[in-house]
Amino acid sequence: MSAPTEHEHHTVGPKTYLTILLILLVFTAITTGAAFINMGVFSPIVALGIACFKAVLVILFFMHIRYSSKVMMLTVGAGFFTFLVLITMTLSDYISRNWGLW
């Protein structure tokens, strides 16, 4: 029986982290700007869309999922997909309500 092998660790340089940090800061500013625009029922959809994009960046780079095994990527992807399904069901209820008509 052979000894278990250790996975190779990927080293990410500071340039990558700074790039992701700048992208996150830009999208934080976009989120703040979008909060001042009246989009009606689509305001939470836009805010959650931006938040999901930022979460994907954090998951991929800061949690090193981008450099993990395919099984780990599939596991994280399945969890994120489940999150999106739950948010979609919640927002479909939110959008379909007759606000102020009762």
Side-chain angles (χ1 to χ4, degrees), residues 39-51:
M39 293 179 266
V41 296
F42 295 106
S43 291
I45 295 171
V46 170
L48 283 169
I50 295 170

Side-chain angles (χ1 to χ4, degrees), residues 6-12 64 67:
E6 195 171 315
H7 294 289
E8 181 181 328
H9 294 284
H10 189 273
T11 304
V12 181
H64 301 278
Y67 309 108

Side-chain angles (χ1 to χ4, degrees), residues 21-61:
L21 174 66
L22 290 175
I23 292 171
L24 290 172
L25 289 173
V26 166
F27 274 90
T28 299
I30 291 171
T31 304
T32 304
F36 291 104
I37 299 171
N38 185 9
M39 293 179 266
V41 296
F42 295 106
S43 291
I45 295 171
V46 170
L48 283 169
I50 295 170
C52 286
F53 176 75
K54 292 184 340 183
V56 166
L57 286 179
V58 169
I59 290 168
L60 287 177
F61 291 98

Side-chain angles (χ1 to χ4, degrees), residues 63-74:
M63 295 175 66
H64 301 278
I65 296 300
R66 185 172 193 271
Y67 309 108
S68 295
S69 67
K70 298 214 183 277
V71 174
M72 183 62 76
M73 287 186 203
L74 182 65

